[in-house]
Amino acid sequence: MENINVVLAQNLKQIREQRKLSLDKVAEMSGISKTMLGQIERGESNPSIATVWKIANGLKVSFTALIHEPKSDASIVTGDDIQVLTEDNGRVRIYPHFPFEEGRRFEMYVLEMDEAASWSAEPHIDGTEEFITVFEGEMTIHVGGEEFTVKQGESIRFRADKPHRYINSGVSENRLSMVIHYPGR
């Protein structure tokens, strides 16, 4: 973790520049002198908690928006990051690449299914949809009394708020991508 004064300097400058505010304007909004704000932005000052609160209140941002390192706009998921889930005695392998997180209404998985393997899923919350692309093999999906066969290179979207079942209906292992999209609240 970087020094808190360096993080504060970067965050203050970024917020100020995103809002196209001058140091004079931030000084007016926060009650902190332009000189002190400049020193904080350059990482040359060790401001008190009260000073950081005044800046946060003046900019109408949370205290933590100024002192926490921002999350990167990108993240890489490696094999070491993924804990495989299994069904059908290990013949269905589910790799959660991007599990559900608050603020994001979807999750992404890679599935591998051995020949003739199957997996039954409970209904998701009302309005949930699944988006599946088959990269290898063939899959048959049963949902809502209907049956769909999706072949290599094809995709399907369906309402997943009813029981559904996946069957590897091909003659070899299949591999697919699955995105589950949850409705807004």
Side-chain angles (χ1 to χ4, degrees), residues 23-154:
L23 282 174
D24 285 323
K25 185 64 178 174
V26 176
E28 178 186 318
M29 295 166 67
S30 65
I32 304 297
S33 73
K34 176 182 172 181
T35 303
M36 173 61 88
L37 289 169
Q39 290 172 347
I40 293 170
E41 273 196 11
R42 292 188 301 275
E44 298 170 353
S45 174
N46 187 11
S48 68
I49 292 173
T51 298
V52 177
W53 270 113
K54 285 182 180 181
I55 296 168
N57 289 337
L59 291 171
K60 297 184 178 15
V61 298
S62 70
F63 184 83
T64 57
L66 290 173
I67 63 166
H68 282 169
E69 289 185 76
K71 284 187 174 181
S72 172
D73 289 340
S75 60
I76 295 175
V77 178
T78 67
D80 293 338
D81 298 327
I82 299 169
Q83 185 171 356
V84 65
L85 309 168
T86 60
E87 290 286 335
D88 193 8
N89 297 314
R91 294 166 22 92
V92 175
R93 293 165 300 284
I94 306 157
Y95 301 91
H97 283 254
F98 294 99
F100 180 83
E101 289 181 9
E102 276 308 313
R104 190 179 344 168
R105 295 191 340 243
F106 68 90
E107 49 194 355
M108 294 179 68
Y109 300 91
V110 169
L111 269 74
E112 295 174 343
M113 298 177 71
D114 293 341
E115 184 179 349
S118 67
W119 172 37
S120 294
E122 293 295 318
H124 300 290
I125 61 174
D126 199 34
T128 301
E129 293 183 303
E130 287 191 18
F131 300 80
I132 294 176
T133 299
V134 177
F135 292 108
E136 294 176 23
E138 177 181 295
M139 171 177 285
T140 298
I141 299 171
H142 295 267
V143 61
E146 294 183 86
E147 179 179 292
F148 305 94
T149 298
V150 187
K151 297 179 180 172
Q152 183 172 322
E154 296 178 341

